[in-house]
Amino acid sequence: MIKYPIRNHPNDSPVESLSKTYQLSMLKDKHGRVHDYLRISLTDVCNFRCLYCMPEENIKFMVPSKLMQADEIDRIAQEFVKLGVRKIRLTGGEPLIRNDAEKIITSLSKYPVNLTLTTNGTRINEVIPTLVAAGVKSINLSLDTLKAEKFFQITRRNLFAKVWDNIQLLLENGFHVKVNVVVMRGFNDYEILDFVEWTKNQPVHVRFIEFMPFDGNQWNNEKVFTYKEILEVVDAKYSTLRLKDEINGTAKKYKVYGHEGTFAVISTMSAPFCSNCNRMRLTADGKMKNCLFSKSEIDILGALRKGEDIIPLIRQCVIEKEVALGGQFNSDFEHLDAGKIKNRSMINIGG
Ligand code: SAM
Ligand code: SF4
């Protein structure tokens, strides 16, 4: 087992005291929600081809010159921190596939934020010393099946063992590991109990995610395995305990009595959690979205490159946020026509 030494880091210090030097007034939308969590997509490229995330063909990746460069990500992040951002998640595409991912992680680690990332896990063994040095404590990792053959069907890559080993490496090094599982009816719903069983002897935090509609991902309402159905499956076998959810959390958290880990459900489709949303997104080409499902985007990178002040643009984007689900649909997903939703693919937005 390889263990990496933990160093003292700004992320270990109380965020409030460090942030005083930066603080401008907070970002509030017209519904009074304070926004202090930024998700930055580092790239729309990925070494996987997950069928629920990207179109099967005609994938157009962004031109490299259009992507935010490492120094631009740093400058934009700094403005968000001044506006009260306290959490930054790097995502993608696959964030760790970018050659300068470690440089970006290290540069963002100087800010008084909870810095974290969502990854498919394939490069964790290469970057773990950087994550430790940057004070990253928690990682979200995607794994939709515990079976190698099924893994290949979903991702179209033969890398189950690599991802599994990297989860073990993170656990051995004391990381808080959340495992994202997109549940699709008739496809991997029969593995729900296997995932919950995994939480018995390992401190993993499994999060079942309801399948969401994005451009080109062949979503239909019948494939959504809902929050209620997931609980019915688990409750038929285990005694569960409802846990306190995180403030602004998207996951409804549970634990099986006696298990080391926990499980949760992210019920975007059947029971959205927009009322206390605090999230903003930057796509890899520097467009700001105030919601995963927002129709509009604001070009932050373009403004930065022209030398303009980006703070008014960020404020405008947040103020305009719709009350729920980008104003495009509601929890009545059974009647949703996915073809009418105006959005990019998930890989293009940054999950
Ligand atoms: N490549 C990284 C990964 O897979 O974790 C980060 C990007 S990925 C787009 C972020 C998260 O979005 C993953 O947990 C993935 O499972 C989730 N996701 C992608 N498409 C989805 C969909 N259609 N419905 C629900 N979750 C989805
Ligand atoms: Fe890549 Fe993550 Fe999308 Fe899978 S879910 S294709 S790993 S970006």
Side-chain angles (χ1 to χ4, degrees), residues 75 79 299-300 302-313:
R75 283 161 62 204
E79 298 304 294
D299 187 5
I300 300 293
L304 185 89
R305 286 184 177 173
K306 282 190 223 142
E308 292 169 9
D309 182 2
I310 60 172
I311 286 184
L313 297 179

Side-chain angles (χ1 to χ4, degrees), residues 75-95:
R75 283 161 62 204
I76 294 174
Q78 185 174 10
E79 298 304 294
F80 274 95
V81 173
K82 284 184 196 162
L83 291 163
V85 161
R86 295 290 162 265
K87 180 169 178 180
I88 295 182
R89 175 176 301 282
L90 303 179
T91 180
E94 174 46 41

Side-chain angles (χ1 to χ4, degrees), residues 46 52-53 91-95 118-120 140-142 144 180 182 209-212 214 217 346-347 350-351:
C46 187
Y52 53 74
C53 177
T91 180
E94 174 46 41
T118 303
T119 172
N120 64 25
N140 287 12
L141 201 144
S142 304
D144 309 293
N180 289 349
V182 179
I209 306 179
E210 289 179 351
F211 182 32
M212 297 183 273
F214 294 101
N217 77 346
M346 179 62 133
I347 197 156

Side-chain angles (χ1 to χ4, degrees), residues 162-349:
K162 178 95 191 158
V163 174
W164 181 259
D165 289 350
N166 277 338
I167 292 175
Q168 300 307 319
L169 185 64
L170 286 169
L171 292 173
E172 284 158 10
N173 280 278
F175 281 83
H176 185 85
V177 180
K178 296 183 189 170
V179 176
N180 289 349
V181 183
V182 179
V183 186
M184 288 165 286
R185 186 183 309 283
F187 194 70
N188 61 348
D189 52 321
Y190 66 91
E191 290 196 57
I192 290 171
L193 290 177
D194 295 341
F195 274 103
V196 174
E197 189 60 23
W198 182 19
T199 68
K200 187 171 178 182
N201 297 317
Q202 289 214 292
V204 280
H205 304 282
V206 171
R207 291 144 35 105
F208 298 113
I209 306 179
E210 289 179 351
F211 182 32
M212 297 183 273
F214 294 101
D215 192 31
N217 77 346
Q218 304 191 5
W219 182 93
N220 75 51
N221 59 5
E222 282 166 17
K223 292 186 192 160
V224 179
F225 202 83
T226 62
Y227 172 32
K228 186 165 166 279
E229 291 173 301
I230 292 168
L231 283 190
E232 279 166 7
V233 170
V234 180
D235 285 340
K237 175 162 180 191
Y238 298 103
S239 295
T240 59
L241 180 68
R242 180 78 167 93
L243 301 174
K244 199 162 178 261
D245 296 332
E246 285 159 27
I247 301 168
N248 304 118
T250 53
K252 294 167 176 85
K253 291 169 69 179
Y254 294 82
K255 187 179 177 72
V256 173
Y257 281 98
H259 281 204
E260 270 195 65
T262 64
F263 75 95
V265 184
I266 300 182
S267 57
T268 315
M269 302 309 297
S270 70
F273 31 78
C274 305
S275 60
N276 58 352
C277 184
N278 64 341
R279 293 164 174 71
M280 304 163 280
R281 291 165 190 273
L282 266 182
T283 61
D285 56 351
K287 308 283 191 315
M288 182 175 170
K289 282 174 81 77
N290 57 23
C291 171
L292 189 53
F293 297 105
S294 67
K295 282 188 233 169
S296 61
E297 304 176 343
I298 290 193
D299 187 5
I300 300 293
L301 179 62
L304 185 89
R305 286 184 177 173
K306 282 190 223 142
E308 292 169 9
D309 182 2
I310 60 172
I311 286 184
L313 297 179
I314 296 171
R315 286 196 188 283
Q316 181 197 340
C317 185
V318 172
I319 285 171
E320 287 171 359
K321 182 158 170 157
E322 298 283 346
V323 70
L325 299 166
Q328 300 220 56
F329 57 101
N330 57 38
S331 60
D332 181 20
F333 71 89
E334 283 94 344
H335 299 107
L336 176 64
D337 177 356
K340 291 204 173 125
I341 296 181
K342 186 170 173 272
N343 211 349
R344 307 193 198 193
S345 64
M346 179 62 133
I347 197 156
N348 226 235
I349 302 167

